[in-house]
Amino acid sequence: MKYYFLALGTLVVVCVGCAADGQQVIKKGEYHAPPAAMMQRPGPMVDGPGPGVLPMLAPPPMSAYAARTSQVRFVGPAGMKVGWQVAEGYAENQLTAPGRYNFNQGATYRLKLSHIPGRSIPALYPSLQVYPSHPTTDAYLSHNSIPLEITPEDLDQVESNNFVTKVIYLPDEKFQELAIAGVETLVSTRLDPGVDPVAEADRRGTIMAVLRMGNMDLEMPSGDGGSETVSQVSYDGDAGAHMAPMPIPGEMIGVASGVPVPTMMGGMGAPGQPAYNPIAGMGPTPAWGMPMTGTPIGLPGPPHIPLGGPASLKSHTIRNVSKTNLPKPVDHFLVDVKQDPAPSLPKPVKYVQYSESHPVHSPGQVSYPRTMAPGPGY
Amino acid sequence: MTLIVFVMDVPTAWSQQMIGGRQYNSGNQFYHPLNQRTPPGVAGQWASMSGQVQPGYIQPMKFSLPSKGNLTFYAGGPDQAIQKSSPASIGFGVGYVYRVKISGMPEFPGVELYPTIELIDRLHPPAGLAEQYPIPVSFTAEDIELVLSGRMVTKVVYLERPQTAVPAQFDRQPTQTITAQKNLIAEADLLGRPMLILRMGGRLPSTVGEDPAFFGNGAPVVELNSPAVKN
């Protein structure tokens, strides 16, 4: 009987050994990324962003015929005033809907929508992201404006404390139902929950502009009382003062935002002066351990009473009667750390073979108009 | 031969045809570098670089509006505008993109549109008769209504092949429409010789700080014998 169990056990071990190479038993086929901080900084002396978050080394080349501005047409509601952020604050009433303006591409602007008819909203401050021209949208943008309409539904959503994202895009050919090209608008509030309107529009075509709108008041006095920033310069379009919009800093599309410098540094010095690095005991920085009181026991109080009389204190003794238990300092310290699940990454790649295949069209496979076909000159 | 504005319903089963020693094809198995979405100027530049057409050749054009109205051509920018009444004749250089303003149409009061014309080929009329054979460009009421509804209209005017030309006299320029999935330029090339690309949308020049390139890049505009009014 025991030979039977021995044979059965051997068979089970052999079968399991053939089915699993050991990795599955230990790792269960799972990989767990290290914390984000470790991913961002791979290790000592290798600082900087890790793979996958590398900024673009150079901006993509611009098309030789690319339109440099996109004309945004504020369709409605009719009578709404459109302003935008400038260097000194907000330029008010620059446009009245329906109106249009040419925005530089590849930038984000902060708009100010006010005097919305039929609404008690004082002002809305949406951001308008104007995408760069793309070869598929270049012809459209150089001939058409981008229609942007704030619908009553959008305003209802904003008043209900919701966030509205409108994406205006030019659909690809396969998504165009009509023969004549026209833009389409995706609104976040009309999509299913969890669907990103920007990603969805990017899937269907080429994005030309994105409007994000909430009900935050950006010109509200700050809460610390009396520190309200008062702009000394005002631009009111109704009074004839027009000012070009200023893109929001750091929001340039197509240009990766700068990664913060990881090294902790002191502040910059004045022009011509060295940088300010706080060192205890030097300059305005107090020395470390300097008592802040005048009494020898470290507590605030008059050193001798009555004030102005002769000194009477002959002795001042402090005895510590606490039952202290101060063991010897540790000379070797051991910490056992266990993380569950522990970081587990696949083996690093040490060999890459990259082969690229481009379509090659022989003269008999390429069809040009006769004007552009290779051949003898005119 | 008739100059036809593109295009039509093409049978789904296409085939190659050998006509006049040239292979005509527009089936899906061929690669077509140009289409109606190609950025403005590329086709004209390629035509100039190919050597098949004389770059800068002044090709007479004849523009017409639905009924009456004005056409404005920009020789070097908004300051050098040439305004003419419809139908208007003008000479454009091959290989350039031109911005044209249409206005004063009684069917569309107050409407101003700024289409572009990209001239990619020329006609070969008998010597001395070039002005009698202009390339006709017509802006129809349907086109303008589509543009006013926020859409973009792209047309290709082509010269039909003499071997397959329809032996009939047309009262107006024949125009056919194809679906957006098809390649407008390839279809026009299948049926003849594309002459120009007309793009029309609703973008207007800004009253403050319009990009000068909106009105063109200084391409030559030559006045013909049609009466003109200079601004």
Side-chain angles (χ1 to χ4, degrees), chain B residues 151-211:
Chain B
R151 296 192 164 271
M152 180 179 175
V153 176
T154 306
K155 288 178 159 187
V156 173
V157 180
Y158 69 94
L159 178 69
E160 61 181 347
R161 277 188 277 119
Q163 292 88 344
T164 57
V166 178
Q169 183 74 30
F170 295 98
D171 295 335
R172 53 181 293 188
Q173 200 171 13
T175 302
Q176 299 184 46
T177 306
I178 61 169
T179 62
Q181 284 77 20
K182 291 182 177 177
N183 188 333
L184 195 65
I185 297 177
E187 298 294 339
D189 187 47
L190 174 68
L191 298 170
R193 198 146 57 90
M195 286 288 155
L196 60 87
I197 305 171
L198 165 66
R199 300 179 178 92
M200 185 158 58
R203 178 165 180 164
L204 303 177
S206 176
T207 53
V208 284
E210 178 58 60
D211 183 6

Side-chain angles (χ1 to χ4, degrees), chain B residues 2-5 64 135-138 157 170-175:
Chain B
T2 306
L3 282 159
I4 302 179
V5 178
S64 61
I135 297 178
V137 180
S138 59
V157 180
F170 295 98
D171 295 335
R172 53 181 293 188
Q173 200 171 13
T175 302

